[in-house]
């Protein structure tokens, strides 16, 4: 039996992130004993968002711990809450005025006390830098020690950092004494004049952490709601896991461009520039851009972090030439699987069919092999006097996210494609269906087998990718014979030029006309 998930609470079918507040911190957190964040009723969703929710709760407890430290009720790790010298000076100034207010309310004699002129003179010399370290220490070391104890500084006596802080605190003490003198005369309107105090700003309580992996999950969920981002999780999840491991935390707010540059440079030692640029950096940049647009982050630190790629020098076209295309199509048409005495070792009929039909289906549709190998029997149908092939995400995945209908070229029918489809069982044409089987993974596996087989025959030339060779050839042919780019894009499945563009204006008749203009391939055996 699986153990309980840490920090996950189930109450009446609804899930919560839960953290218990340490007893010593409860007085500083409104007396609460625990913190909870609702995660909804779906277990899998709750697991995905749990890390980010727990991080936010831990942040709230850390703020309670800080309040306890400042109240002197809890020790703190040295330097845990660092402040700049001007920020420490401002906080000390505010503390001094708060102490003065308390004294005036509890000890009336306080308002009648005189200001020590010799102390004021020493503070002026300290501000000017005229005092030695020991003299500065006599004035303000007790204040520096206080800020060490609450984690605001690690400055050690005698260092440049310590001396800078000591002089800033001399400003703080001097300005506070000036306010005390004014208040003794009944003037409570006085304001500090020294820029160390007037220009300083104390940091607000840090914003709660934003989980990197949580942002990725939310980005993917948002894209899926509009039918996009189908392959992003599989491609990008390992990237975000790797980034988390490299920076040793999961907080997007703490991520810096320096972190990303160091990560990029480290990955360049083992990965290609194209992979680093187009997968690693691009995925992080995209998700953070989405986070900024949705008010989850203030800035996208990945925006300007890039990796230059060497421009690939091509010595030939990306698609098949006519002789190369004919060679591939002949090999596919004539393919016969090896038969062994053990039926269990024989190739599946669906794989054999993929090797025979996938190349020529690609040739007359400009589709990728992975789009063809996911076809089902019901995706081949007749509309009026036209047979069409529907490439649809319902069967697996398509590059542009939607579906498209591609009229069949007459050569496909002449070669017997309809006979093959009619004789096939319902469901996938090119892989064996199974309950719960991942159609995307199955079609990609078959696509890989077809590509590997063609490579083994030596019919795939250098510089041509089996999954894209037909796409480039189809586009080139379409341009050469004058098919409009928009019609060719509708057939091939290019993403629309604008959001929501599904090429609805390109009719089946227009697509059929374009397909029929495509030349047939002479597959007769060479003499």
């Amino acid at each position: 039996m699986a153990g309980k998930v840490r920090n996950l609470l189930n109450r009446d079918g609804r899930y919560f992130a839960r953290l218990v507040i340490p007893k010593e911190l409860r007085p500083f957190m409104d007396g609460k004993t625990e913190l909870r964040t609702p995660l909804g009723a779906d277990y899998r969703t709750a697991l995905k968002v749990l890390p980010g929710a727990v991080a936010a709760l831990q942040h709230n407890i850390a703020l309670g711990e800080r309040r306890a430290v400042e109240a002197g009720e809890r020790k703190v790790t040295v330097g845990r809450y660092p402040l700049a010298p001007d920020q420490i000076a401002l906080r000390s100034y505010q503390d001094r005025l708060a102490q003065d207010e308390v004294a005036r309310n509890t000890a009336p004699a306080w308002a009648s006390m005189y200001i020590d002129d010799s102390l004021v003179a020493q503070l002026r010399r300290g501000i000017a830098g005229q005092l030695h370290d020991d003299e500065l220490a006599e004035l303000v070391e007790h204040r520096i020690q206080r800020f060490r104890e609450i984690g605001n500084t690690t400055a050690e006596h005698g260092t440049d950092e310590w001396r800078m802080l000591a002089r800033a605190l001399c400003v703080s003490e001097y300005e506070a004494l000036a306010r005390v003198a004014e208040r003794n005369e009944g003037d409570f309107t006085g304001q500090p004049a020294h820029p160390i105090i007037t220009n300083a700003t104390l940091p607000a309580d840090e914003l709660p952490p934003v989980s990197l992996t949580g942002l990725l999950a939310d980005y993917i969920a948002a894209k899926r709601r509009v039918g996009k981002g189908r392959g992003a999780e599989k491609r990008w999840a390992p990237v975000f896991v790797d980034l988390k491991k490299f920076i040793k935390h999961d907080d997007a707010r703490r991520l810096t461009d320096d972190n990303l540059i160091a990560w990029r440079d480290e990955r360049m030692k083992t990965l290609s520039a194209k992979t680093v640029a187009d997968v690693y950096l691009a995925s992080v940049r995209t998700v953070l851009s989405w986070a900024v647009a949705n008010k989850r982050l203030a800035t996208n630190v990945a925006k300007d972090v890039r990796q230059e790629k060497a421009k690939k020098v091509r010595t030939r076209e990306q698609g098949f030439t006519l002789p190369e295309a004919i060679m591939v199509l002949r090999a596919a048409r004539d393919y016969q699987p090896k038969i062994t005495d053990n039926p269990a070792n024989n190739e599946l009929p669906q794989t054999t069919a993929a090797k025979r039909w996938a190349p020529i289906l690609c040739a007359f549709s400009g589709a990728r092999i992975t789009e063809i190998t996911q076809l089902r029997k019901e995706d081949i149908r007749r509309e009026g006097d036209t047979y069409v092939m529907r490439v649809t995400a319902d069967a697996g995945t398509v590059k542009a996210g939607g579906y498209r209908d591609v009229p069949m070229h007459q050569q496909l029918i002449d070669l017997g494609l309809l006979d093959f489809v009619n004789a096939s069982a319902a469901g996938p044409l090119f892989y064996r269906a199974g309950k719960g089987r991942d159609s995307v993974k199955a079609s990609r596996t078959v696509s890989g087998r077809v590509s590997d087989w063609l490579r083994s025959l030596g019919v795939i030339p250098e510089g041509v990718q089996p999954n894209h060779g037909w796409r480039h050839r189809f586009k080139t042919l379409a341009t050469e014979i004058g098919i409009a780019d928009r019609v060719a894009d509708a057939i091939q499945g290019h993403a629309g030029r604008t959001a929501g563009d599904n090429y609805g204006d390109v009719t089946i008749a227009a697509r059929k006309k374009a397909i029929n203009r495509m030349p047939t391939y002479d597959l007769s055996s060479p003499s």
Side-chain angles (χ1 to χ4, degrees):
M1 179 177 177
K4 288 185 177 181
V5 177
R6 185 178 178 87
N7 302 128
L8 183 66
L9 178 68
N10 184 347
R11 283 291 179 267
D12 300 321
R14 301 196 68 80
Y15 295 94
F16 299 82
R18 173 179 177 267
L19 279 182
V20 174
I21 300 173
K23 289 182 179 180
E24 64 272 21
L25 296 184
R26 292 173 188 174
F28 302 94
M29 302 192 70
D30 300 324
K32 295 178 180 178
T33 59
E34 65 177 38
L35 298 177
R36 292 187 187 183
T37 298
L39 304 177
D42 182 73
Y43 178 70
R44 296 179 68 179
T45 300
L47 286 181
K48 282 187 177 181
V49 300
L50 179 63
V54 169
L57 295 181
Q58 289 172 334
H59 169 74
N60 289 333
I61 290 177
L63 294 179
E65 180 187 47
R66 179 180 295 185
R67 290 190 286 271
V69 167
E70 292 178 352
E73 297 294 327
R74 187 180 178 94
K75 292 184 178 180
V76 68
T77 304
V78 174
R80 181 168 181 178
Y81 309 115
L83 294 177
D86 63 335
Q87 293 174 322
I88 292 176
L90 175 58
R91 177 161 287 179
S92 182
Y93 173 80
Q94 293 172 339
D95 289 347
R96 286 302 201 201
L97 293 191
Q99 293 166 6
D100 176 75
E101 184 65 24
V102 171
R104 291 177 190 276
N105 291 331
T106 59
W110 172 264
S112 301
M113 296 180 65
Y114 289 99
I115 304 296
D116 185 346
D117 291 339
S118 63
L119 172 60
V120 173
Q122 280 293 85
L123 289 173
R124 284 175 175 165
R125 294 185 64 208
I127 294 169
Q130 296 171 353
L131 298 181
H132 295 295
D133 288 350
D134 290 343
E135 293 173 306
L136 279 172
E138 186 176 347
L139 283 175
V140 295
E141 174 60 26
H142 65 291
R143 298 299 294 163
I144 294 177
Q145 180 59 29
R146 167 61 180 155
F147 287 103
R148 284 197 196 101
E149 290 172 355
I150 61 175
N152 294 152
T153 184
T154 58
E156 293 296 330
H157 181 275
T159 63
D160 290 345
E161 180 186 7
W162 178 89
R163 189 170 177 84
M164 182 184 298
L165 177 55
R167 291 181 59 211
L169 284 171
C170 285
V171 172
S172 173
E173 293 291 293
Y174 181 85
E175 289 282 4
L177 284 176
R179 301 293 85 72
V180 170
E182 292 165 355
R183 290 179 176 189
N184 286 348
E185 299 298 325
D187 180 7
F188 283 75
T189 63
Q191 296 294 326
H194 199 287
I196 281 184
I197 304 297
T198 58
N199 294 338
T201 55
L202 287 176
D205 284 341
E206 289 84 353
L207 293 169
V210 176
S211 168
L212 277 167
T213 48
L215 285 180
L216 175 62
D218 292 346
Y219 168 82
I220 291 171
K223 291 300 179 183
R224 283 178 173 170
R225 284 194 290 270
V226 293
K228 297 180 178 180
R230 292 177 180 273
E233 184 171 17
K234 182 176 181 179
R235 296 194 308 272
W236 292 1
V239 173
F240 277 71
V241 169
D242 183 72
L243 177 58
K244 278 174 51 182
K245 185 177 180 181
F246 182 81
I247 62 178
K248 296 182 172 60
H249 65 78
D250 187 40
D251 186 0
R253 293 192 195 278
R254 293 167 53 196
L255 183 66
T256 67
D257 52 358
D258 287 338
N259 293 153
L260 290 171
I261 290 170
W263 178 56
R264 176 201 67 188
D265 293 345
E266 185 64 25
R267 293 299 158 261
M268 282 294 293
K269 296 177 182 178
T270 56
L271 300 173
S272 70
K274 180 176 175 59
T275 299
V276 172
D278 295 348
V279 180
Y280 279 64
L281 293 178
S283 61
V284 175
R285 186 164 51 248
T286 300
V287 172
L288 295 190
S289 178
W290 174 87
V292 171
N294 286 274
K295 309 300 184 184
R296 302 285 292 277
L297 292 174
T299 58
N300 180 0
V301 295
K303 180 180 178 181
D304 297 319
V305 180
R306 307 279 174 166
Q307 174 56 51
E308 188 176 2
K309 298 176 290 184
K311 189 171 182 180
K312 190 170 183 178
V313 179
R314 297 195 176 277
T315 58
R316 56 155 296 146
E317 58 269 59
Q318 292 177 268
F320 295 111
T321 63
L322 178 60
E324 292 164 351
I326 290 175
M327 190 180 303
V328 171
L329 295 179
R330 283 175 178 166
R333 180 200 60 187
D334 298 337
Y335 175 70
Q336 294 293 331
K338 293 181 179 178
I339 304 298
T340 68
D341 294 334
N342 185 353
N345 293 333
N346 290 338
E347 185 177 77
L348 291 174
Q350 292 90 343
T351 304
T352 300
K355 292 177 180 178
R356 286 178 177 168
W357 291 108
I360 194 140
L361 283 169
C362 289
F364 285 117
S365 65
R368 300 157 182 81
I369 291 182
T370 49
E371 293 180 320
I372 296 300
T373 54
Q374 69 188 19
L375 288 174
R376 304 163 299 183
K377 183 173 183 176
E378 56 265 38
D379 294 328
I380 310 295
R381 66 189 193 285
R382 184 167 185 167
E383 289 194 3
D385 62 348
T386 304
Y387 285 99
V388 299
M389 170 180 73
R390 173 162 287 188
V391 181
T392 172
D394 290 341
T397 182
V398 295
K399 189 73 172 178
Y403 75 90
R404 65 185 186 274
D405 288 329
V406 181
M408 285 190 189
H409 192 280
Q410 185 61 41
Q411 188 170 12
L412 288 170
I413 297 172
D414 294 342
L415 287 171
L417 176 65
L418 296 180
D419 295 333
F420 158 68
V421 172
N422 291 333
S424 299
L429 293 172
F430 301 121
Y431 64 87
R432 187 163 56 184
K435 186 176 180 180
R437 190 172 190 188
D438 186 332
S439 59
V440 175
K441 184 176 181 180
S443 63
R444 285 177 175 168
T445 298
V446 176
S447 168
R449 289 172 181 166
V450 173
S451 297
D452 291 344
W453 165 67
L454 290 172
R455 284 194 181 96
S456 71
L457 296 179
V459 296
I460 303 298
E462 182 88 19
V464 176
Q465 298 180 36
N467 198 35
H468 296 279
W470 294 111
R471 178 170 66 88
H472 291 298
R473 174 165 177 77
F474 187 93
K475 185 67 174 177
T476 300
L477 273 178
T479 301
E480 289 176 352
I481 63 180
I483 295 175
D485 287 346
R486 184 161 180 78
V487 176
D489 288 347
I491 293 171
Q492 288 195 270
H494 285 291
R497 299 299 190 261
T498 60
D501 183 5
N502 60 3
Y503 296 99
D505 58 309
V506 184
T507 64
I508 291 293
R511 301 179 196 206
K512 179 180 179 180
K513 183 178 178 181
I515 289 290
N516 287 341
R517 292 179 63 188
M518 287 286 176
T520 60
Y521 289 92
D522 181 6
L523 301 184
S524 58
S525 299
S527 56

